[in-house]
Amino acid sequence: MRTEQDMARMLRGNPRRRRREAIVRTLFFLAAALSIVVSVAIVLSVVIDAVEFLSAIDLNQLWADGWFPRRGRFSIPTIFVGSLMITLVALVVALPLGLGAAIYLSEYARPGVRRALKPTLEILAGVPSVVLGFFALSFITPNIMQAIWQDTQVFNYGAAGIAVGILIIPLIASVAEDAMRAVPQSLREASYGLGAKRWHTSLRVIFPAALSGIVAAVILGFARALGETMVVAIAAGASGGALLNVDITQGGTTMTAAMASLAIGSDQVAGDSSAFQSLFFVGLLLFLMTLGLNVLSERLVRRFRQKY
């Protein structure tokens, strides 16, 4: 007869296996803890430098008539509006193309065509952003922007926004297509059984059913466009500073481009001692905006999520 102690020992398993499991669990815990520590350290360093920057300047400088950090003019509305302009133009380009591609791949493409097209579409995500920046400067500006508006500057919001839109098409299309493919086949069969056509089923049944994933795709695309640096730094120009404007045919700067010009030294004119520290404050603003987008995305996904 086996005693209770023998049975308990057998249920616990092999001691060597338990030790290996304990070691692996400890390693995974350390990896997770390290990622949290690194994230907290980054946030704290940005917050500390941002507070030092705010304490060193007059707050009225944050509402100056333009972003010229070397002159002590740190107009946050200028770079915020520039970022918003680029993002809105990018979404105008990417939303119809990305969602259209997602609907086609999910509902219309044959399996063989889908297997060929989806990896091809995702190749766009691997194109370096600096290449798209030069593409915007050398092709989009002269052949699209200046063909429509003859007085378009060489560096302009429109070309930069179109290039950023091309950049985020694969992200929106891939996430939205995965959400549509996750909709149960029974909903399609029920729609077809009621006499609905394929386009009606796609837009009135599948699209609403996958709305949580589509909303997540749009917000991810928005956040990706908002954080793009190289395309706007090359195509929008104004690395040394810019005035506030909302004209897509004119150049300007964005939050990320302003940070890049200070961080990499493209703006080396001697001037205000707080210029370099301003990039930490702008970085903090970007972090808060991205955090807000993530929270909004989570709430919208929960609101529109449907369980089948």
Side-chain angles (χ1 to χ4, degrees):
M1 289 293 294
R2 293 176 177 172
T3 64
E4 292 183 2
Q5 293 181 349
D6 294 334
M7 293 295 294
R9 188 163 46 251
M10 292 177 62
L11 291 174
R12 285 196 299 268
N14 188 287
R16 294 179 60 186
R17 182 176 66 82
R18 292 203 308 274
R19 284 195 295 270
R20 287 196 298 268
E21 290 292 337
I23 293 173
V24 172
R25 183 170 59 250
T26 302
L27 291 176
F28 285 152
F29 171 78
L30 291 175
L34 181 61
S35 64
I36 295 175
V37 170
V38 171
S39 300
V40 171
I42 292 173
V43 172
L44 286 178
S45 65
V46 172
V47 169
I48 291 172
D49 285 307
V51 171
E52 290 181 1
F53 165 73
L54 290 175
S55 63
I57 67 168
D58 186 351
L59 294 182
N60 290 330
Q61 293 176 259
L62 299 178
W63 306 93
D65 58 347
W67 174 264
F68 298 97
R70 295 296 179 184
R71 305 179 198 172
R73 295 154 65 186
F74 308 101
S75 175
I76 298 302
T78 297
I79 57 177
F80 176 78
V81 170
S83 299
L84 194 60
M85 289 283 294
I86 297 290
T87 303
L88 292 179
V89 174
L91 290 179
V92 168
V93 173
L95 283 183
L97 294 178
L99 295 180
I103 293 174
Y104 174 76
L105 290 174
S106 174
E107 305 302 317
Y108 287 87
R110 295 190 299 271
V113 175
R114 180 179 177 274
R115 285 194 297 270
L117 283 183
K118 189 169 183 180
T120 304
L121 178 65
E122 291 176 347
I123 288 176
L124 280 174
V127 176
S129 57
V130 66
V131 174
L132 283 174
F134 281 108
F135 175 74
L137 198 61
S138 61
F139 180 84
I140 296 177
T141 293
N143 294 285
I144 298 179
M145 293 299 298
Q146 292 179 345
I148 300 174
W149 297 282
Q150 295 183 354
D151 58 344
T152 300
Q153 293 183 354
V154 176
F155 301 100
N156 58 87
Y157 284 140
I162 293 172
V164 174
I166 295 173
L167 187 66
I168 65 175
I169 285 174
L171 175 62
I172 294 176
S174 180
V175 176
E177 192 266 344
D178 289 339
M180 293 179 185
R181 294 276 294 180
V183 175
Q185 184 66 23
S186 58
L187 290 183
R188 297 177 175 86
E189 294 172 353
S191 179
Y192 295 143
L194 292 173
K197 295 181 179 180
R198 181 172 290 185
W199 70 267
H200 192 277
T201 300
S202 300
L203 297 179
R204 301 297 297 274
V205 177
I206 304 303
F207 195 92
L211 190 58
S212 62
I214 293 171
V215 168
V218 173
I219 294 180
L220 282 174
F222 186 95
R224 178 68 179 85
L226 187 66
E228 176 53 39
T229 302
M230 288 308 301
V231 172
V232 296
I234 295 173
S239 60
L243 295 172
L244 176 63
N245 79 82
V246 292
D247 187 352
I248 64 172
T249 65
Q250 306 299 313
T253 191
T254 64
M255 301 174 78
T256 53
M259 293 176 64
S261 64
L262 287 169
I264 65 178
S266 61
D267 181 12
Q268 288 287 1
V269 180
D272 196 285
S273 59
S274 300
F276 182 77
Q277 275 193 321
S278 66
L279 70 87
F280 293 99
F281 178 69
V282 177
L284 179 62
L285 293 180
L286 269 175
F287 169 75
L288 294 176
M289 292 170 64
T290 305
L291 179 62
L293 285 174
N294 288 334
V295 173
L296 177 64
S297 174
E298 181 66 23
R299 291 190 175 183
L300 290 176
V301 167
R302 288 182 178 179
R303 179 177 179 181
F304 294 111
R305 179 180 295 158
Q306 299 185 35
K307 296 181 180 180
Y308 301 98

